[in-house]
């Protein structure tokens, strides 16, 4: 099996555009008729559904963001009677109110289809054993990939995240072939396998489907080597349904966006102007056929680029590059924009593990940037002089990448807390409010 829904995934672009045109008009009418909050926003901009003929008219519609979802919590953007909904999922939200997404059965079906496409694109078939180690519950990772795995016909192991000993036991005993979890958890599983003397050839894994947080190409190579697999990226957010909005194929160079369900735009996060394909900017999504929780022009805060270059896999849907961070978790340190992914790239290139912690603070009105980085066990026995030289070298490499100088602290192997879900990389104590 090369595609889960070949007729859609390899559809000619002109046919895809015609499909989007038709679905978009319908989706806008649905929202206008059933979501008073958004209707008022459209009225304030003097736009009606009749003004929207196709994707080229999207720019006329108002943008919405997480703030709108919070303002309308919990039911404000619901577009169908509650009795037609069969499920909710919610963001892991650390601040403020959680975002709740609602699903009808139709919405669940389309979401699970997207996840099934991702599993097949990673080489999955009904012969596979798919270990789902994303968190289950309100988080969309577990249930999304679980549903996709069922649809493909894989034997599904609903592990949820955590309990790494049990993960490894099942991986070995049930000969899991596909692992789905966050990249940071995959890296940790690889580390524990190594500690136990279990080699990549002792397990049956062939592919991993990793997402929910930014990760670098360097981290991909690390995980691929430690688990002996091909590692594929998957993207999504609770607001648009969950994982599977976009996924990687065998080409492993960007994620195909499921364009029959979602239209992507790139905007300038400051001016909100739509940018041409290929530009770097904020990703904005419009759903095309969701019933319960349709979203028009939703600002993701994720910074990335789109490309419509022909893909060797035969899929025609547009690709997004790896998001290079979020415009809102982008750190501004002494006026310089810094993404955790830049720091991770330097660490891995310099031979360190991707276990690190970024600490931001202020001293005498100046931002301070401290980075705790784990030493590898071979280097732990180094003399103090050597360790201090290593710190200086790493500081120099980071200064070249970031344009500002951090203070690096090499810490003992395994001394930083490991993550089973999304890794918490940044501790910001600056209190800049
Ligand atoms: O993280 C959905 C998901 C689950 C995606 C499992 C992939 C796999 P939220 O918790 O709502 O949903 O967080 C969404 O996570 O806006 C991005 O900032 C980030 N994110 C998700 N996937 C990726 C990825 C899920 N592949 C937010 N690369 C998004 C980088 C990602 N960032």
């Amino acid at each position: 099996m090369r595609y889960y829904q070949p007729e859609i995934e390899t559809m000619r672009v002109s046919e895809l555009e015609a499909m989007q045109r038709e679905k978009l008009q319908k989706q806008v009418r649905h929202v206008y008729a059933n979501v008073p909050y958004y209707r008022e926003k459209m009225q304030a901009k003097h736009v009606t559904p009749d003004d929207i003929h196709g994707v080229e008219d999207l720019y006329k519609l108002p943008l919405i963001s997480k703030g709108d979802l919070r303002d309308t919590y919990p039911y404000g953007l619901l577009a169908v009677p509650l009795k037609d909904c069969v499920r909710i999922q919610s963001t892991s939200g650390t601040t403020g109110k959680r975002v709740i997404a609602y699903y009808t059965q139709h919405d669940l079906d389309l979401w699970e289809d997207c996840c099934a496409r991702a599993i097949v694109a990673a080489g999955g078939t009904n012969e596979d054993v798919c270990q789902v180690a994303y968190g289950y519950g309100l988080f969309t990772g577990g249930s999304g990939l679980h549903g996709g795995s069922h649809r493909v016909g894989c034997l599904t192991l609903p592990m949820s995240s955590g309990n790494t000993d049990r993960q490894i036991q099942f991986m070995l005993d049930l000969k899991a072939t596909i692992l789905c979890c966050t990249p940071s958890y995959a890296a940790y599983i690889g580390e524990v396998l190594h500690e136990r003397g279990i080699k990549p050839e002792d397990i049956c894994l062939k592919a991993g489907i990793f997402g929910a947080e930014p990760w670098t190409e360097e981290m991909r190579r690390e995980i691929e080597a430690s688990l002996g697999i091909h590692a594929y990226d998957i993207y999504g957010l609770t607001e648009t349904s969950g994982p599977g909005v976009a996924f990687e194929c065998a080409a492993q160079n960007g994620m195909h966006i499921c364009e029959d369900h979602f239209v992507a735009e790139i905007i300038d996060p400051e001016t909100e102007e739509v940018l041409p394909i290929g530009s770097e900017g904020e990703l904005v999504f419009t759903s095309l056929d969701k019933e319960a929780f349709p979203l028009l022009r939703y600002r993701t805060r994720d910074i990335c680029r789109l490309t419509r270059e022909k893909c060797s896999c035969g899929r025609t849907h547009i690709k997004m590059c790896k998001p290079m961070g979020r415009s809102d978790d982008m750190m501004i340190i002494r006026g310089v924009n810094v993404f955790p992914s830049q720091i991770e790239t330097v660490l891995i290139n310099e031979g360190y593990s991707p276990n690190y912690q970024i600490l931001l603070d202020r001293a005498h009105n100046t931002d301070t940037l401290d980075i705790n980085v784990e030493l590898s066990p071979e280097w732990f026995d180094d003399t103090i002089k050597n360790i201090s030289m290593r710190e200086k070298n790493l500081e120099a490499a980071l200064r070249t990448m970031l344009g500002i100088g951090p203070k690096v602290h090499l810490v003992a192997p395994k001394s930083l807390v490991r993550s089973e879900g999304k890794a918490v990389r940044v501790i910001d104590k600056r209190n800049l409010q």
Side-chain angles (χ1 to χ4, degrees), residues 244-286:
V245 170
F247 58 84
E248 261 186 345
C249 59
Q252 289 183 302
N253 66 354
M255 296 177 268
H256 290 281
I257 294 173
C258 293
E259 278 194 286
D260 51 324
H261 299 307
F262 303 98
V263 182
E265 296 171 276
I266 294 285
I267 64 163
D268 178 324
E270 299 296 324
T271 63
E272 301 187 348
E273 180 200 351
V274 180
L275 301 176
I277 287 190
S279 321
E280 187 176 293
E282 182 180 339
L283 193 54
V284 169
F285 278 112
T286 294

mmCIF file of all heavy atoms in Angstrom, residues 244-286:
data_model
loop_
_atom_site.group_PDB
_atom_site.id
_atom_site.type_symbol
_atom_site.label_atom_id
_atom_site.label_comp_id
_atom_site.label_asym_id
_atom_site.label_seq_id
_atom_site.Cartn_x
_atom_site.Cartn_y
_atom_site.Cartn_z
ATOM 1 N N GLY A 244 -1.874 15.050 11.868
ATOM 2 C CA GLY A 244 -2.313 14.559 10.564
ATOM 3 C C GLY A 244 -2.711 15.675 9.609
ATOM 4 O O GLY A 244 -2.967 15.418 8.438
ATOM 5 N N VAL A 245 -2.757 16.912 10.094
ATOM 6 C CA VAL A 245 -3.023 18.031 9.182
ATOM 7 C C VAL A 245 -1.950 17.997 8.078
ATOM 8 O O VAL A 245 -2.227 18.254 6.917
ATOM 9 C CB VAL A 245 -2.969 19.372 9.948
ATOM 10 C CG1 VAL A 245 -2.993 20.558 9.003
ATOM 11 C CG2 VAL A 245 -4.110 19.447 10.945
ATOM 12 N N ALA A 246 -0.738 17.618 8.477
ATOM 13 C CA ALA A 246 0.354 17.454 7.508
ATOM 14 C C ALA A 246 1.270 16.334 7.988
ATOM 15 O O ALA A 246 1.399 16.116 9.196
ATOM 16 C CB ALA A 246 1.138 18.758 7.387
ATOM 17 N N PHE A 247 1.871 15.639 7.014
ATOM 18 C CA PHE A 247 2.721 14.502 7.390
ATOM 19 C C PHE A 247 3.785 14.298 6.327
ATOM 20 O O PHE A 247 3.598 14.674 5.172
ATOM 21 C CB PHE A 247 1.866 13.227 7.530
ATOM 22 C CG PHE A 247 1.117 12.883 6.278
ATOM 23 C CD1 PHE A 247 1.731 12.160 5.256
ATOM 24 C CD2 PHE A 247 -0.180 13.323 6.080
ATOM 25 C CE1 PHE A 247 1.060 11.870 4.083
ATOM 26 C CE2 PHE A 247 -0.859 13.042 4.896
ATOM 27 C CZ PHE A 247 -0.239 12.316 3.899
ATOM 28 N N GLU A 248 4.875 13.648 6.742
ATOM 29 C CA GLU A 248 5.969 13.391 5.798
ATOM 30 C C GLU A 248 5.776 12.082 5.040
ATOM 31 O O GLU A 248 5.200 11.130 5.559
ATOM 32 C CB GLU A 248 7.290 13.318 6.557
ATOM 33 C CG GLU A 248 8.047 14.611 6.481
ATOM 34 C CD GLU A 248 9.425 14.514 7.117
ATOM 35 O OE1 GLU A 248 9.706 13.573 7.857
ATOM 36 O OE2 GLU A 248 10.219 15.421 6.865
ATOM 37 N N CYS A 249 6.336 12.065 3.834
ATOM 38 C CA CYS A 249 6.329 10.860 3.009
ATOM 39 C C CYS A 249 7.763 10.332 2.947
ATOM 40 O O CYS A 249 8.649 10.862 3.617
ATOM 41 C CB CYS A 249 5.842 11.224 1.615
ATOM 42 S SG CYS A 249 6.903 12.468 0.844
ATOM 43 N N ALA A 250 7.999 9.337 2.069
ATOM 44 C CA ALA A 250 9.330 8.721 1.984
ATOM 45 C C ALA A 250 10.412 9.746 1.641
ATOM 46 O O ALA A 250 11.589 9.542 1.956
ATOM 47 C CB ALA A 250 9.311 7.601 0.958
ATOM 48 N N ALA A 251 10.051 10.846 0.988
ATOM 49 C CA ALA A 251 11.056 11.846 0.607
ATOM 50 C C ALA A 251 11.662 12.532 1.841
ATOM 51 O O ALA A 251 12.764 13.097 1.771
ATOM 52 C CB ALA A 251 10.447 12.880 -0.323
ATOM 53 N N GLN A 252 10.966 12.506 2.960
ATOM 54 C CA GLN A 252 11.442 13.078 4.241
ATOM 55 C C GLN A 252 11.966 14.500 4.107
ATOM 56 O O GLN A 252 12.960 14.856 4.733
ATOM 57 C CB GLN A 252 12.547 12.199 4.846
ATOM 58 C CG GLN A 252 12.065 10.865 5.394
ATOM 59 C CD GLN A 252 13.183 10.092 6.043
ATOM 60 O OE1 GLN A 252 14.178 9.806 5.393
ATOM 61 N NE2 GLN A 252 13.044 9.721 7.303
ATOM 62 N N ASN A 253 11.317 15.287 3.273
ATOM 63 C CA ASN A 253 11.770 16.680 3.182
ATOM 64 C C ASN A 253 10.608 17.658 3.171
ATOM 65 O O ASN A 253 10.459 18.467 2.276
ATOM 66 C CB ASN A 253 12.682 16.895 1.970
ATOM 67 C CG ASN A 253 11.924 16.698 0.682
ATOM 68 O OD1 ASN A 253 10.753 16.294 0.722
ATOM 69 N ND2 ASN A 253 12.534 16.975 -0.451
ATOM 70 N N GLY A 254 9.787 17.571 4.184
ATOM 71 C CA GLY A 254 8.631 18.453 4.297
ATOM 72 C C GLY A 254 7.371 17.619 4.408
ATOM 73 O O GLY A 254 7.367 16.439 4.055
ATOM 74 N N MET A 255 6.317 18.250 4.925
ATOM 75 C CA MET A 255 5.083 17.512 5.206
ATOM 76 C C MET A 255 3.972 17.931 4.248
ATOM 77 O O MET A 255 3.691 19.127 4.095
ATOM 78 C CB MET A 255 4.660 17.786 6.641
ATOM 79 C CG MET A 255 5.657 17.270 7.652
ATOM 80 S SD MET A 255 5.186 17.665 9.353
ATOM 81 C CE MET A 255 6.025 19.215 9.612
ATOM 82 N N HIS A 256 3.326 16.944 3.624
ATOM 83 C CA HIS A 256 2.186 17.221 2.755
ATOM 84 C C HIS A 256 0.999 17.647 3.621
ATOM 85 O O HIS A 256 0.633 16.935 4.563
ATOM 86 C CB HIS A 256 1.778 15.964 1.985
ATOM 87 C CG HIS A 256 2.791 15.564 0.946
ATOM 88 N ND1 HIS A 256 2.867 16.199 -0.279
ATOM 89 C CD2 HIS A 256 3.752 14.616 0.947
ATOM 90 C CE1 HIS A 256 3.848 15.638 -0.989
ATOM 91 N NE2 HIS A 256 4.404 14.681 -0.272
ATOM 92 N N ILE A 257 0.413 18.776 3.274
ATOM 93 C CA ILE A 257 -0.774 19.238 4.010
ATOM 94 C C ILE A 257 -1.998 18.584 3.374
ATOM 95 O O ILE A 257 -2.115 18.575 2.145
ATOM 96 C CB ILE A 257 -0.877 20.776 3.933
ATOM 97 C CG1 ILE A 257 0.308 21.408 4.675
ATOM 98 C CG2 ILE A 257 -2.212 21.271 4.485
ATOM 99 C CD1 ILE A 257 0.426 22.912 4.538
ATOM 100 N N CYS A 258 -2.897 18.035 4.162
ATOM 101 C CA CYS A 258 -4.097 17.393 3.611
ATOM 102 C C CYS A 258 -5.002 18.488 3.043
ATOM 103 O O CYS A 258 -5.885 19.018 3.731
ATOM 104 C CB CYS A 258 -4.824 16.593 4.688
ATOM 105 S SG CYS A 258 -3.863 15.178 5.227
ATOM 106 N N GLU A 259 -4.727 18.833 1.790
ATOM 107 C CA GLU A 259 -5.361 20.018 1.203
ATOM 108 C C GLU A 259 -6.819 19.841 0.836
ATOM 109 O O GLU A 259 -7.480 20.808 0.471
ATOM 110 C CB GLU A 259 -4.600 20.419 -0.065
ATOM 111 C CG GLU A 259 -3.372 21.241 0.208
ATOM 112 C CD GLU A 259 -2.893 21.875 -1.075
ATOM 113 O OE1 GLU A 259 -2.321 21.140 -1.910
ATOM 114 O OE2 GLU A 259 -3.107 23.078 -1.247
ATOM 115 N N ASP A 260 -7.299 18.602 0.877
ATOM 116 C CA ASP A 260 -8.733 18.425 0.645
ATOM 117 C C ASP A 260 -9.515 18.804 1.904
ATOM 118 O O ASP A 260 -10.735 18.970 1.853
ATOM 119 C CB ASP A 260 -9.044 16.979 0.222
ATOM 120 C CG ASP A 260 -8.439 15.955 1.176
ATOM 121 O OD1 ASP A 260 -7.325 16.196 1.690
ATOM 122 O OD2 ASP A 260 -9.087 14.920 1.426
ATOM 123 N N HIS A 261 -8.811 18.945 3.049
ATOM 124 C CA HIS A 261 -9.485 19.329 4.297
ATOM 125 C C HIS A 261 -9.018 20.676 4.856
ATOM 126 O O HIS A 261 -9.743 21.295 5.629
ATOM 127 C CB HIS A 261 -9.253 18.267 5.373
ATOM 128 C CG HIS A 261 -9.791 16.913 5.020
ATOM 129 N ND1 HIS A 261 -11.096 16.717 4.624
ATOM 130 C CD2 HIS A 261 -9.203 15.688 4.992
ATOM 131 C CE1 HIS A 261 -11.289 15.423 4.381
ATOM 132 N NE2 HIS A 261 -10.157 14.785 4.573
ATOM 133 N N PHE A 262 -7.807 21.086 4.504
ATOM 134 C CA PHE A 262 -7.266 22.327 5.078
ATOM 135 C C PHE A 262 -6.549 23.155 4.016
ATOM 136 O O PHE A 262 -5.771 22.608 3.229
ATOM 137 C CB PHE A 262 -6.248 22.011 6.189
ATOM 138 C CG PHE A 262 -6.820 21.155 7.285
ATOM 139 C CD1 PHE A 262 -6.602 19.784 7.305
ATOM 140 C CD2 PHE A 262 -7.617 21.721 8.282
ATOM 141 C CE1 PHE A 262 -7.144 18.981 8.296
ATOM 142 C CE2 PHE A 262 -8.171 20.927 9.276
ATOM 143 C CZ PHE A 262 -7.937 19.546 9.284
ATOM 144 N N VAL A 263 -6.797 24.467 4.029
ATOM 145 C CA VAL A 263 -6.036 25.363 3.153
ATOM 146 C C VAL A 263 -5.039 26.114 4.020
ATOM 147 O O VAL A 263 -5.400 26.626 5.087
ATOM 148 C CB VAL A 263 -6.941 26.415 2.480
ATOM 149 C CG1 VAL A 263 -6.121 27.301 1.542
ATOM 150 C CG2 VAL A 263 -8.052 25.770 1.731
ATOM 151 N N ALA A 264 -3.798 26.177 3.560
ATOM 152 C CA ALA A 264 -2.766 26.884 4.330
ATOM 153 C C ALA A 264 -2.427 28.206 3.660
ATOM 154 O O ALA A 264 -2.405 28.299 2.433
ATOM 155 C CB ALA A 264 -1.512 26.021 4.405
ATOM 156 N N GLU A 265 -2.178 29.213 4.472
ATOM 157 C CA GLU A 265 -1.631 30.487 3.979
ATOM 158 C C GLU A 265 -0.434 30.819 4.856
ATOM 159 O O GLU A 265 -0.343 30.359 5.996
ATOM 160 C CB GLU A 265 -2.630 31.631 4.185
ATOM 161 C CG GLU A 265 -3.918 31.545 3.440
ATOM 162 C CD GLU A 265 -4.869 32.644 3.929
ATOM 163 O OE1 GLU A 265 -5.551 32.433 4.949
ATOM 164 O OE2 GLU A 265 -4.918 33.720 3.308
ATOM 165 N N ILE A 266 0.465 31.635 4.317
ATOM 166 C CA ILE A 266 1.578 32.152 5.117
ATOM 167 C C ILE A 266 1.397 33.665 5.190
ATOM 168 O O ILE A 266 1.229 34.318 4.155
ATOM 169 C CB ILE A 266 2.941 31.832 4.456
ATOM 170 C CG1 ILE A 266 3.199 30.329 4.441
ATOM 171 C CG2 ILE A 266 4.090 32.569 5.144
ATOM 172 C CD1 ILE A 266 3.583 29.712 5.772
ATOM 173 N N ILE A 267 1.389 34.178 6.416
ATOM 174 C CA ILE A 267 1.237 35.630 6.556
ATOM 175 C C ILE A 267 2.442 36.224 7.288
ATOM 176 O O ILE A 267 3.154 35.522 7.997
ATOM 177 C CB ILE A 267 -0.064 36.028 7.309
ATOM 178 C CG1 ILE A 267 -0.044 35.512 8.763
ATOM 179 C CG2 ILE A 267 -1.305 35.546 6.578
ATOM 180 C CD1 ILE A 267 -1.079 36.200 9.644
ATOM 181 N N ASP A 268 2.611 37.514 7.104
ATOM 182 C CA ASP A 268 3.590 38.246 7.890
ATOM 183 C C ASP A 268 2.962 38.438 9.279
ATOM 184 O O ASP A 268 1.894 39.046 9.384
ATOM 185 C CB ASP A 268 3.849 39.600 7.209
ATOM 186 C CG ASP A 268 4.826 40.448 7.986
ATOM 187 O OD1 ASP A 268 4.800 40.414 9.232
ATOM 188 O OD2 ASP A 268 5.604 41.168 7.346
ATOM 189 N N PRO A 269 3.589 37.915 10.341
ATOM 190 C CA PRO A 269 2.937 37.976 11.654
ATOM 191 C C PRO A 269 2.731 39.401 12.162
ATOM 192 O O PRO A 269 1.852 39.645 12.978
ATOM 193 C CB PRO A 269 3.877 37.200 12.581
ATOM 194 C CG PRO A 269 5.084 36.854 11.806
ATOM 195 C CD PRO A 269 4.869 37.207 10.362
ATOM 196 N N GLU A 270 3.506 40.350 11.651
ATOM 197 C CA GLU A 270 3.344 41.739 12.102
ATOM 198 C C GLU A 270 2.229 42.439 11.339
ATOM 199 O O GLU A 270 1.293 42.968 11.915
ATOM 200 C CB GLU A 270 4.649 42.537 11.882
ATOM 201 C CG GLU A 270 5.853 42.010 12.636
ATOM 202 C CD GLU A 270 5.667 42.118 14.143
ATOM 203 O OE1 GLU A 270 5.065 43.109 14.581
ATOM 204 O OE2 GLU A 270 6.109 41.193 14.858
ATOM 205 N N THR A 271 2.324 42.409 9.993
ATOM 206 C CA THR A 271 1.387 43.189 9.181
ATOM 207 C C THR A 271 0.135 42.389 8.817
ATOM 208 O O THR A 271 -0.832 42.950 8.321
ATOM 209 C CB THR A 271 2.050 43.615 7.853
ATOM 210 O OG1 THR A 271 2.353 42.408 7.120
ATOM 211 C CG2 THR A 271 3.343 44.385 8.095
ATOM 212 N N GLU A 272 0.164 41.082 9.010
ATOM 213 C CA GLU A 272 -0.932 40.166 8.669
ATOM 214 C C GLU A 272 -1.153 40.033 7.166
ATOM 215 O O GLU A 272 -2.149 39.491 6.703
ATOM 216 C CB GLU A 272 -2.241 40.573 9.367
ATOM 217 C CG GLU A 272 -2.109 40.593 10.873
ATOM 218 C CD GLU A 272 -3.412 40.830 11.606
ATOM 219 O OE1 GLU A 272 -4.402 41.201 10.944
ATOM 220 O OE2 GLU A 272 -3.436 40.644 12.832
ATOM 221 N N GLU A 273 -0.205 40.544 6.385
ATOM 222 C CA GLU A 273 -0.307 40.482 4.933
ATOM 223 C C GLU A 273 0.010 39.049 4.457
ATOM 224 O O GLU A 273 0.884 38.392 5.014
ATOM 225 C CB GLU A 273 0.723 41.466 4.389
ATOM 226 C CG GLU A 273 0.805 41.583 2.907
ATOM 227 C CD GLU A 273 2.161 42.195 2.499
ATOM 228 O OE1 GLU A 273 2.902 42.664 3.396
ATOM 229 O OE2 GLU A 273 2.466 42.181 1.309
ATOM 230 N N VAL A 274 -0.733 38.579 3.433
ATOM 231 C CA VAL A 274 -0.477 37.239 2.906
ATOM 232 C C VAL A 274 0.809 37.274 2.078
ATOM 233 O O VAL A 274 0.998 38.162 1.247
ATOM 234 C CB VAL A 274 -1.643 36.758 2.009
ATOM 235 C CG1 VAL A 274 -1.362 35.359 1.470
ATOM 236 C CG2 VAL A 274 -2.953 36.774 2.786
ATOM 237 N N LEU A 275 1.697 36.294 2.315
ATOM 238 C CA LEU A 275 2.987 36.274 1.620
ATOM 239 C C LEU A 275 2.965 35.208 0.524
ATOM 240 O O LEU A 275 2.227 34.225 0.624
ATOM 241 C CB LEU A 275 4.106 35.958 2.621
ATOM 242 C CG LEU A 275 4.226 36.949 3.791
ATOM 243 C CD1 LEU A 275 5.309 36.497 4.773
ATOM 244 C CD2 LEU A 275 4.557 38.351 3.283
ATOM 245 N N PRO A 276 3.764 35.386 -0.521
ATOM 246 C CA PRO A 276 3.777 34.397 -1.610
ATOM 247 C C PRO A 276 4.351 33.054 -1.154
ATOM 248 O O PRO A 276 5.138 33.010 -0.202
ATOM 249 C CB PRO A 276 4.689 35.023 -2.672
ATOM 250 C CG PRO A 276 5.339 36.189 -2.045
ATOM 251 C CD PRO A 276 4.664 36.514 -0.762
ATOM 252 N N ILE A 277 3.967 31.990 -1.865
ATOM 253 C CA ILE A 277 4.482 30.642 -1.558
ATOM 254 C C ILE A 277 6.004 30.683 -1.573
ATOM 255 O O ILE A 277 6.604 31.283 -2.456
ATOM 256 C CB ILE A 277 3.965 29.616 -2.586
ATOM 257 C CG1 ILE A 277 2.494 29.351 -2.311
ATOM 258 C CG2 ILE A 277 4.745 28.304 -2.528
ATOM 259 C CD1 ILE A 277 1.904 28.199 -3.068
ATOM 260 N N GLY A 278 6.623 30.054 -0.571
ATOM 261 C CA GLY A 278 8.091 30.041 -0.501
ATOM 262 C C GLY A 278 8.606 31.004 0.563
ATOM 263 O O GLY A 278 9.729 30.869 1.023
ATOM 264 N N SER A 279 7.751 31.978 0.969
ATOM 265 C CA SER A 279 8.215 32.943 1.983
ATOM 266 C C SER A 279 8.104 32.318 3.363
ATOM 267 O O SER A 279 7.245 31.472 3.605
ATOM 268 C CB SER A 279 7.348 34.202 2.016
ATOM 269 O OG SER A 279 6.978 34.590 0.741
ATOM 270 N N GLU A 280 8.955 32.805 4.258
ATOM 271 C CA GLU A 280 8.855 32.344 5.643
ATOM 272 C C GLU A 280 7.901 33.260 6.388
ATOM 273 O O GLU A 280 7.971 34.483 6.242
ATOM 274 C CB GLU A 280 10.248 32.422 6.264
ATOM 275 C CG GLU A 280 10.300 31.809 7.629
ATOM 276 C CD GLU A 280 11.725 31.832 8.154
ATOM 277 O OE1 GLU A 280 12.573 31.117 7.587
ATOM 278 O OE2 GLU A 280 11.964 32.579 9.108
ATOM 279 N N GLY A 281 6.992 32.697 7.153
ATOM 280 C CA GLY A 281 6.043 33.516 7.899
ATOM 281 C C GLY A 281 5.169 32.634 8.766
ATOM 282 O O GLY A 281 5.472 31.453 8.970
ATOM 283 N N GLU A 282 4.067 33.213 9.247
ATOM 284 C CA GLU A 282 3.183 32.457 10.149
ATOM 285 C C GLU A 282 2.157 31.655 9.350
ATOM 286 O O GLU A 282 1.535 32.161 8.418
ATOM 287 C CB GLU A 282 2.482 33.427 11.096
ATOM 288 C CG GLU A 282 1.589 32.720 12.095
ATOM 289 C CD GLU A 282 0.892 33.682 13.049
ATOM 290 O OE1 GLU A 282 1.347 34.833 13.228
ATOM 291 O OE2 GLU A 282 -0.142 33.265 13.612
ATOM 292 N N LEU A 283 2.003 30.425 9.761
ATOM 293 C CA LEU A 283 1.084 29.510 9.090
ATOM 294 C C LEU A 283 -0.343 29.774 9.576
ATOM 295 O O LEU A 283 -0.592 29.873 10.782
ATOM 296 C CB LEU A 283 1.527 28.100 9.478
ATOM 297 C CG LEU A 283 1.007 26.889 8.762
ATOM 298 C CD1 LEU A 283 1.222 26.986 7.262
ATOM 299 C CD2 LEU A 283 1.729 25.654 9.314
ATOM 300 N N VAL A 284 -1.255 29.891 8.610
ATOM 301 C CA VAL A 284 -2.668 30.141 8.933
ATOM 302 C C VAL A 284 -3.489 29.041 8.260
ATOM 303 O O VAL A 284 -3.260 28.742 7.088
ATOM 304 C CB VAL A 284 -3.080 31.531 8.381
ATOM 305 C CG1 VAL A 284 -4.585 31.741 8.451
ATOM 306 C CG2 VAL A 284 -2.358 32.641 9.134
ATOM 307 N N PHE A 285 -4.407 28.437 8.990
ATOM 308 C CA PHE A 285 -5.207 27.349 8.406
ATOM 309 C C PHE A 285 -6.684 27.687 8.339
ATOM 310 O O PHE A 285 -7.241 28.303 9.257
ATOM 311 C CB PHE A 285 -5.081 26.061 9.238
ATOM 312 C CG PHE A 285 -3.840 25.289 8.917
ATOM 313 C CD1 PHE A 285 -2.828 25.175 9.848
ATOM 314 C CD2 PHE A 285 -3.683 24.679 7.684
ATOM 315 C CE1 PHE A 285 -1.670 24.463 9.559
ATOM 316 C CE2 PHE A 285 -2.535 23.973 7.379
ATOM 317 C CZ PHE A 285 -1.531 23.861 8.318
ATOM 318 N N THR A 286 -7.310 27.230 7.259
ATOM 319 C CA THR A 286 -8.760 27.288 7.121
ATOM 320 C C THR A 286 -9.240 25.864 6.886
ATOM 321 O O THR A 286 -8.716 25.172 6.011
ATOM 322 C CB THR A 286 -9.134 28.170 5.913
ATOM 323 O OG1 THR A 286 -8.728 29.510 6.203
ATOM 324 C CG2 THR A 286 -10.636 28.154 5.640
#
